[in-house]
Amino acid sequence: MSCTGKRHILEIDELSVSFYQYENDHSSRQVELPVISRLSVSVHEGEIVAVVGSSGSGKSLLAHAILGMLPYNARVSGQMYFDGELLTAEKMKELRGNKIAFVPQSTTYLDPLMKVGEQVSQGRKNAARRQRQRSLFARYGLEKDVDNKYPFECSGGMTRRVLLTSALMDEPELIIADEPTPGMDLALAKKSMEDFRIFADEGHGVLLITHDIELALEVADRVAVFYAGTTIEEAPVADFASEETLRHPYTKALWRAMPQNGFVPLPGVQPYVKDMPQGCPFGPRCSMYSEKCQGDIPMQRVGCATVRCVQYKGEPLAVEAHHIHGETAPAPHHTKT
Amino acid sequence: MKHNLLFAGKNFIRMILLLAAVSVATFALVSASPIDPLQANVGQAALGSMSEAQKEKLRSYWGVDEPPVQRYLNWAKDALRGDFGTSLLYRQPVTSVIAVKLSNSLFLLVIAWIISGLLGFLLGVIAGVFRGRPADRLVKGYCLVIASTPAFWLALLLLLIFSVWLKVLPIGLSVPIGMEASGVTFLDRVRHAILPALTLSITGISNVALHTREKMIDIMESDYVLFAQARGEKAGSIVRRHALRNVLLPALTLQFASISEIIGGSVLVEQVFSYPGLGQAAVAAGTGSDVPLLMGITLITAAIVFLGNFIANLLYGVVDPRIRKGGRRT
C-alpha cells in the first residue's frame, strides 16, 4: 500500500488524545481538552520520519501515547499498529524499552540519585550489559569516568548523549526521539543524526519529534507536518525541494518561511485547543479558505504523500486494510498503567 | 575536610547561641510566673509557721529578692562551669536528676521514634505508590484521624482499653508499685513502657506517613520515573531502584525533625501515664517553681532536638551525592 512497498514498523491511524480537566479553580465540572486530534503518521523500515511542529503544540504527547504513558486523566482513541499488530495497552507495556525505545526531551528524565552508567545499563551485575553500555558511551565520546557521574555532574550535551545511548542499549526496532538534539553542539547533533541514519538503514525505524524543520529535512526520509494537534501533511523529503511539490497550504507557508526560501512569515498563530475552528484547523489563516473547509476533512493519500485538505482528491488511507487483523479493532482505551 | 570542619564549627556556634536564647527565654518566663517560690518549695503550712526572720533568711539564701537579671547571670556563671545547681524539688544536683529522668524517657522516646519512623515511612511509601487506591485511602484516613486527635486523649483511651477493661497492661509508672528496685526486671520496664510508647508512636506515624506520601507522589510523577517506565522497567523495579532511593533523603530529614515532636508529645503522655520521665519532671519543675531543674531540662531537650537536626544535615552530606560531591567542588 505504501509508496515504498516497505514493511510498516509503526502506523498511527486517527489518533486522538484529550485530557479531562477541571474547568477552573472553583468549578467541579470537568471539560475535555483535545490536544491531539485524528493524527495519522507511519514509519516504515529503514526510515526516519520527522514529525515537525511548533513548540508547545502537543508533539511530546504523541511519544507518550505510543508508549502508553499518558497521565491518568488522558483519553485516547484511534488505532496504532506496531509491526502489523494492534498496539494495545498490554502490548505497549511489553514493547517499551524493548522493541520501542524512547529518547526523551528534557534532561530531567534521569534519576538524580543514580550514576548514569548504572542507569543506562540498568543494573550493575550484568557484565554483558555493562560492557555494551561502556562501548556505547565510548562511541559518543563519554569517557570512562562519566560512568560514575551523577546526572547533576553532567553537562546538558553529555546528558543528551546518555539519553541517546540508553535508547540504543536494547537494540530496538523503533526509536522515538523527542527533541533529541538541543544542547548538543553541531558536530554532536550531526553525529547522533548519523547514528539514527545507521540505525534506520539496518532495517529499523526512527520517529523524530522536533520543532527544527531544517534538521528534519536534513536527516529524515519523510516529514509529517504537525499543526494544531494533528498532521496536515506527510510527504517525502524530496517534495520539500520546491513549493510546488508540496500540498497543504500550511506546509507551503512553512516552506516560504524558511530563510533560504524567502523568509516570509505567516501571520497569525495556531489556534488554542479550547477555541479550535470547525473543520480545517488552518482555515482561519488560509488564503484558499472556502465553505468546503468547514466540514470534516479526512486524510487522503495523494501520490507518495498524505494530506488533509479539501483541494485534493485522493484515495483514503485505509490503514486497517494492510493488517493481518481484518476485523475492526477495538479502540484502545487505556489509562495510566 | 576543611569544608566539613567549617560546617561543624558553624553549627556548634549556632547551638551555643540557641541554648543561650532558650535559657534566657525560659528564665524570663519563670520569673514572670505568679508562683511564689518560697510557698511552692516550703509548703503553705510550713511557711505559715515560720517567723518573719526565718523567712527572710530563706529568702536571701535562695536569692529570691535579687533582680532577675542578676539571678540569671548567677545561674549562667555556674552553668558555664558545668554546675547547673540543685533541684529544689528533688534535693539533688540537677544533672543527676536529669540523668535518671532522661534514661527513663529515652527508653520511651527511642522506641516511639523508631516505630513511628519505620511504620510511617512504610505506610507513606505504600500510600504514595498506590495513590487513590484503597490502600492509600486507608492510610490517609488513619493519618488524618490521628493527626486531629490530641495525644493525651489517645493516651487516656489506651489506658481505658488496655489497663482498665482488659487489665493486660499496668495503669502507670515505669516500674511495678511496691517492688524493690533490685527486684525490677527488664520485662517489667518494657511492660510499663508499652502504652506510653504506643501512644507516641501512633501519633508520630501520621506525620511521617503523610509527608512521605506527598514526596512519594511527586517522585512517582517525575520525569525519571516516566522514563524508567518507557525503558520497560516494571512497577516493582521502579519503586525499588528509583523511588525508594529518592524518597529516602526527605524521609531522613523528617525522621530527625520528628525528634522535637516526640519529645513535645512525651510531656503530655508521661503526665497521663505518671511515667517518671523528663516530660513529667518538666511539668513538676514548672508548677513547683524549681527554676534550676526547669532550666536544665529545657536546655537538654533543646540540645537533643538541635543535635537531631544537625545529624540529619550531616547524614545528608554523606548520603546525597549532590551535596557530597557538589560541596567538594565549590
Side-chain angles (χ1 to χ4, degrees):
Chain A
M1 270 310 261
S2 81
C3 221
T4 50
K6 284 181 186 159
R7 178 173 64 102
H8 290 91
I9 292 180
L10 179 77
E11 280 216 283
I12 299 175
D13 182 26
E14 304 259 293
L15 174 77
S16 296
V17 178
S18 54
F19 283 99
Y20 278 92
Q21 271 183 355
Y22 288 106
E23 207 172 10
N24 54 47
D25 287 350
H26 323 285
S27 165
S28 59
R29 213 173 66 127
Q30 290 199 325
V31 287
E32 195 178 346
L33 280 181
V35 281
I36 293 180
S37 44
R38 301 176 57 197
L39 174 144
S40 298
V41 72
S42 57
V43 182
H44 304 107
E45 68 176 334
E47 257 186 0
I48 299 179
V49 176
V51 174
V52 181
S54 62
S55 307
S57 55
K59 301 187 303 288
S60 299
L61 287 168
L62 172 63
H64 294 187
I66 300 169
L67 292 158
M69 303 191 312
L70 289 168
Y72 66 95
N73 60 338
R75 232 172 108 162
V76 181
S77 67
Q79 272 91 40
M80 290 186 270
Y81 298 90
F82 183 80
D83 236 346
E85 264 190 87
L86 185 71
L87 265 179
T88 56
E90 290 73 43
K91 198 77 192 157
M92 286 172 187
K93 252 191 189 173
E94 192 191 312
L95 292 175
R96 66 190 184 206
N98 177 19
K99 288 278 173 65
I100 305 178
F102 176 51
V103 181
Q105 177 180 24
S106 135
T107 50
T108 56
Y109 283 78
L110 287 174
D111 185 336
L113 296 181
M114 195 186 274
K115 291 173 181 170
V116 292
E118 195 186 334
Q119 279 194 65
V120 171
S121 64
Q122 287 183 310
R124 297 169 253 224
K125 291 183 190 101
N126 193 325
R129 289 185 68 84
R130 211 68 180 141
Q131 187 79 42
R132 175 152 176 80
Q133 170 259 321
R134 189 70 284 250
S135 69
L136 279 170
F137 269 29
R139 212 162 104 197
Y140 283 93
L142 295 168
E143 306 285 332
K144 189 129 187 63
D145 64 310
V146 178
D147 289 12
N148 286 323
K149 283 194 170 170
Y150 289 93
F152 80 94
E153 296 174 285
C154 298
S155 69
M158 275 159 89
T159 313
R160 294 270 168 211
R161 285 178 270 167
V162 169
L163 290 171
L164 195 64
T165 52
S166 78
L168 297 169
M169 267 303 285
D170 291 285
E171 304 179 25
E173 276 277 289
L174 173 74
I175 290 181
I176 300 169
D178 187 8
E179 306 274 15
T181 52
M184 285 188 184
D185 59 47
L186 192 67
L188 259 171
K190 282 223 167 96
K191 168 112 189 67
S192 55
M193 287 302 137
E194 274 165 33
D195 275 293
F196 280 150
R197 187 73 266 166
I198 294 167
F199 175 78
D201 289 346
E202 284 166 353
H204 306 131
V206 176
L207 185 71
L208 182 66
I209 298 171
T210 180
H211 68 275
D212 187 346
I213 187 155
E214 299 198 47
L215 173 89
L217 292 180
E218 195 147 312
V219 297
D221 300 294
R222 281 184 307 119
V223 173
V225 180
F226 190 87
Y227 184 86
T230 191
T231 41
I232 46 113
E233 179 166 359
E234 192 190 308
V237 160
D239 291 0
F240 282 81
S242 71
E243 196 185 328
E244 288 70 46
T245 39
L246 292 169
R247 291 154 198 88
H248 198 281
Y250 176 66
T251 323
K252 287 178 196 263
L254 205 59
W255 188 88
R256 286 195 298 273
M258 284 165 68
Q260 64 271 37
N261 302 335
F263 221 176
V264 186
L266 173 70
V269 287
Q270 293 195 17
Y272 179 55
V273 286
K274 270 184 179 160
D275 30 47
M276 200 65 84
Q278 275 283 312
C280 181
F282 186 61
R285 296 168 78 187
C286 185
S287 57
M288 280 166 276
Y289 185 70
S290 69
E291 221 158 83
K292 280 191 291 179
C293 301
Q294 287 173 9
D296 178 55
I297 307 162
M299 200 81 173
Q300 300 177 86
R301 186 171 300 284
V302 180
C304 283
T306 57
V307 65
R308 194 190 289 281
C309 181
V310 289
Q311 294 178 66
Y312 295 90
K313 284 277 166 284
E315 40 183 327
L317 273 189
V319 171
E320 263 167 57
H322 40 241
H323 291 294
I324 22 181
H325 302 268
E327 80 275 18
T328 355
H333 174 83
H334 44 85
T335 48
K336 195 181 183 182
T337 46
Chain B
M1 195 59 220
K2 201 178 153 205
H3 175 259
N4 286 349
L5 273 178
L6 199 71
F7 179 72
K10 255 189 210 162
N11 272 283
F12 184 72
I13 293 170
R14 246 179 235 162
M15 178 163 100
I16 299 298
L17 288 177
L18 174 82
L19 292 185
V22 164
S23 68
V24 170
T26 314
F27 200 88
L29 285 174
V30 177
S31 304
S33 92
I35 298 170
D36 174 14
L38 235 54
Q39 190 182 321
N41 285 291
V42 181
Q44 181 78 50
L47 201 63
S49 66
M50 274 186 202
S51 71
E52 211 38 57
Q54 278 175 313
K55 278 190 206 167
E56 190 50 52
K57 219 173 160 191
L58 206 55
R59 219 178 239 133
S60 70
Y61 172 68
W62 277 341
V64 179
D65 292 333
E66 279 180 58
V69 176
Q70 187 56 45
R71 273 185 286 153
Y72 176 73
L73 289 178
N74 287 345
W75 173 86
K77 210 166 64 205
D78 287 341
L80 279 179
R81 282 189 282 113
D83 177 9
F84 285 87
T86 309
S87 160
L88 301 178
L89 289 174
Y90 295 89
R91 313 281 169 205
Q92 276 172 13
V94 165
T95 38
S96 62
V97 175
I98 289 179
V100 173
K101 300 290 176 187
L102 188 62
S103 68
N104 279 342
S105 276
L106 224 46
F107 190 55
L108 277 190
L109 296 177
V110 170
I111 292 177
W113 188 59
I114 291 174
I115 291 181
S116 67
L118 288 182
L119 274 182
F121 180 72
L122 193 72
L123 290 178
V125 166
I126 290 173
V129 170
F130 299 103
R131 183 194 184 185
R133 313 246 195 101
D136 176 32
R137 281 190 211 153
L138 207 70
V139 172
K140 221 168 71 181
Y142 165 83
C143 291
L144 291 179
V145 166
I146 293 301
S148 42
T149 307
F152 68 88
W153 184 82
L154 187 72
L156 286 173
L157 199 71
L158 290 176
L159 257 185
L160 216 62
I161 296 172
F162 290 100
S163 307
V164 179
W165 292 346
L166 299 175
K167 293 189 172 58
V168 286
L169 288 169
I171 197 149
L173 306 177
S174 66
V175 289
I177 299 169
M179 192 184 271
E180 264 186 67
S182 56
V184 178
T185 61
F186 180 69
L187 209 65
D188 284 328
R189 288 185 177 279
V190 171
R191 266 170 51 80
H192 282 78
I194 288 176
L195 280 186
L198 193 65
T199 315
L200 286 174
S201 307
I202 288 176
T203 48
I205 285 172
S206 72
N207 188 26
V208 177
L210 282 177
H211 276 103
T212 310
R213 174 184 179 271
E214 215 51 48
K215 285 282 165 208
M216 202 64 188
I217 287 174
D218 284 350
I219 290 169
M220 293 310 279
E221 285 177 349
S222 70
D223 285 343
Y224 55 88
V225 164
L226 193 79
F227 186 49
Q229 259 176 16
R231 299 194 65 203
E233 277 192 48
K234 300 281 170 287
S237 153
I238 288 176
V239 170
R240 226 174 28 251
R241 273 166 52 87
H242 302 290
L244 282 183
R245 192 187 286 247
N246 279 281
V247 84
L248 221 50
L249 287 172
L252 207 66
T253 324
L254 210 60
Q255 178 66 357
F256 280 95
S258 76
I259 291 179
S260 65
E261 284 176 40
I262 290 201
I263 288 189
S266 78
V267 174
L268 287 174
V269 171
E270 285 182 7
Q271 201 61 27
V272 173
F273 289 101
S274 313
Y275 195 91
L278 211 56
Q280 208 198 21
V283 175
T287 51
S289 199
D290 189 346
V291 184
L293 183 60
L294 193 65
M295 295 292 276
I297 291 174
T298 44
L299 283 187
I300 193 85
T301 45
I304 290 174
V305 171
F306 182 89
L307 282 177
N309 289 325
F310 178 59
I311 290 170
N313 281 343
L314 283 184
L315 284 180
Y316 241 83
V318 176
V319 180
D320 190 337
R322 286 166 296 193
I323 294 177
R324 188 177 65 227
K325 292 192 172 181
R328 206 187 292 151
R329 258 194 319 197
T330 45

